[in-house]
Amino acid sequence: MKYAMEHIREIVQGEFLQFRRNDPVEHLLLDSRRLIFPDTSLFFSLKGPRRDGSLFMEELYRRGVRNFVVEADGATGGGETAGMTAATVVGGGMTDANIILVRDSLQALQQLAAYHRRQFALPVIGITGSNGKTIVKEWLNQLLEDEYHIVRSPKSYNSQIGVPLSVWQLNEAHELAIFEAGISSRGEMVRLSAILRPTIGLFTNIGEAHSEGFDSLAEKAAEKLRLFEQAELLIYNKDQPETEKAIQAWLAAREVAGPVAPSGPAARDPVRRPALFSWGRAEDATLVILSMEKNGRSATFESTGSPVGSTNITARYEGQAFSFTVPFTDEASLENILACASVLLHFRQPVDVIRSKLQRLSPIAMRLELKSGINHCSIINDSYSADLSSLSIALDFLSQQQQHARRTVILSDFLESGLEESALYAEIARALRQKQVDRLVGIGSRISAHADIIGQGFPGETVFYLSVDHFKKDLHHLHFRDETILIKGARVFEFEEIDRWLSEQIHQTVLEINLNAMAHNLRQYRQLLLPTTKMMAMVKAFAYGSGSYEIANLLQFHGVDYLGVAYADEGVVLRKAGIHMPIMVMNTENSSFDSLVEYNLEPVIYSFPLLRSFDKWLKKEGILQFPVHIELETGMNRLGFPLKEVGELGPALLQAAFKVQSVFSHLAASEEAQQDPFSHHQGSSYLTAVTKLQEFLPYPFLRHIANSAAIIRHPQLQLDMVRLGIGLYGIDSADSHQLDLLEVSTLKSTIAQIKSLHEGDTVGYNRRGIAGPHTRMATVRIGYADGYPRSLGNGNGKMWVKGRLAPVIGSVCMDMTMIDITGIPDVGEGDEVVVFGNELSVNQLAHWAQTIPYEILTGVSQRVKRVYFEE
């Protein structure tokens, strides 16, 4: 559906600051970096704590966007404020644009989405809860896609911004909508409820996840239940006491509540009581669970060949007992499956059909994975869905990757778009062209049939195959080399096989890096900064073990001001991978002068001998005003000009072939409260020195001394820039508990072999491990050559297996480590083992190893495969 700009102005209750023509709008744009369709996009200029979307309007205008919604500070809806906004935003340079002024741009976005939702009378399943929302949504899509043309939330788009974007996908061809909604604080759900207006509510569970904005689980549950105020049916888990109690309290409150006065996007109809559909072991549940028998490792997923467990479930519905088997044994999956089964029963699906569908359920890969591929390629695997929304997300991720000049997309048929096929593939072609894709490999009969239409809209190289088998037979002719390859396909095409063919095969120990978590941590620290304070992100030591250009690509995408590396060769790698942002090199060596200049790397000058050497080299090469950074010594006693030399340093800089970009120092103990007097002394000494140095230089420079801990503990030292290091990776070195940090890295391996030992048997080198009675031992594919410290041997360290901690038995070997899995059920060869991650913090591992998290993270060997992913 298209909306004309005059109609949109009425819907959002705004006024035109500037009106040129009544353009049709098809796409909503919130982030200038995600532009694909400029001609038909409407940009909402949202305001955040540090970013104002209006700052990107002129750039978007230059790129072809002509329709904007802008919010004014203290907007009154017209008059002087409107005039001021027009002068500020338009600035005379956007003369051919439509610009709508609103009081609140986020509310306007939600109003437009709510209006769009009201144009459709179709079943809408609204899902909320603390956990499982996205899995349940994706499984319901798997289970119902044969009967319904479904629209669903892309990925986990469930926020105040994500929900409007999800609803905007609705069109006339859709027969069922499945949307999820998440909240983090009071008052948010009522706005999402007005947008989604679900006819069927599904409450997965209530737990501790995202509880920071609530005083209790009961308060959080009550807020989540507001999503279902207009629902005709509510489906929930009766076995969870907190959920049952919250629902009963919510229903009781609704008995006495009256209609709510409409107000903006949160307007609601008179109160109604939904019908209830519950599942659980209670006799009064709608779907009564009679028994659940887990069968170990008997099933196998066809797509992966991996052995998994299965569970036989016997249940009773409307007086009739029936049984079904599902290929999962973990409690979370079983809970999610029962939620899905309840929906199918409500939809009156026959029991035999439900039984067959549930048995075919497969795990949901809810993330984009970036990893190394054959012939120096980078592989992005997003092979579980093919729709326009998720394609846009995947292409955004592809465009972030700068390590290769060439980009290839392997794409399957799009099966459920709701668009006429010629229009669908024309839009796909436009998206590929906009994101500067060089080659398209299409697989499937439908995309192949529209090769001509794609060729008209996409100028790059194209090749088409009817099936994955045809692609495989021609694989050696495609010459994948030195490029970034996006694999994007509908689930039925089983593109996982293509991923395996193209991925570099390295041993099964893997370091997973969660790019969402890193972006989250970056936002957490940014919220502590003044709007004028810049940020340098430290990516030295292979980005604390996490990778180099992969991390730098993310930081560049999110607008970090500077990168910091240890040595010039680290900066050269980033430049060759397409990183163009400023890079500071902390340990400058005479042998690196030519690389510094060739790759525009900004060296740190920390002594007079280095200053004179680099100055002499630059003048010999005829180079002037080269950017450098000056390090002062204030108490770390590592590198830097002593403070007593500042008087001599100033004139020397004035006469050198340098331009000073910044002057900085290092805090020695910013994380320790007992060292605060010394930290304050360092800060004071530094500020005195830079003030004196500024007297010599006729231009300003940046001042920075605060590291990750100081951002939290010494906010007065923010100055012009801060340097974020270990905090970016989810480690609060100050142990402040003031930020909601997420650990970025998960180190995983697999079990190579399991043995049963007799009491007294010895394990490992020097026979230091002694088996107890009935010991079961597993050998894990990781050792000290991979970065697992030898100090964790002999019971000092533990690994996470099947939800339990298994202690190390015997010495850590070079490539293998043995763990005691006695008493842990259902462990098998090939099973995953977590060395550190969400289940077992790197802080805990460092404590066991009597070291610090920095050493654990940076010690992970280069031979360990890195896999980067976005949820």
Side-chain angles (χ1 to χ4, degrees), residues 101 104 119 204 233 309 539 551 553 564 584 603 640 725 740 807 813 869:
L101 174 69
D104 183 321
Q119 309 314 301
T204 59
L233 176 74
V539 292
I551 300 302
N553 276 328
M584 183 179 81
D740 175 29
C813 306
F869 68 90

Side-chain angles (χ1 to χ4, degrees), residues 25 32 129 144 147 214 371-372 561 581 663 666 682 729 736-737 813 864:
V25 169
S32 63
L144 294 169
E147 290 84 12
F214 303 96
K371 51 195 169 185
S372 299
D561 302 284
M581 60 190 297
V663 179
H666 284 279
Q682 279 193 272
Y729 306 88
S736 67
H737 304 292
C813 306
V864 172

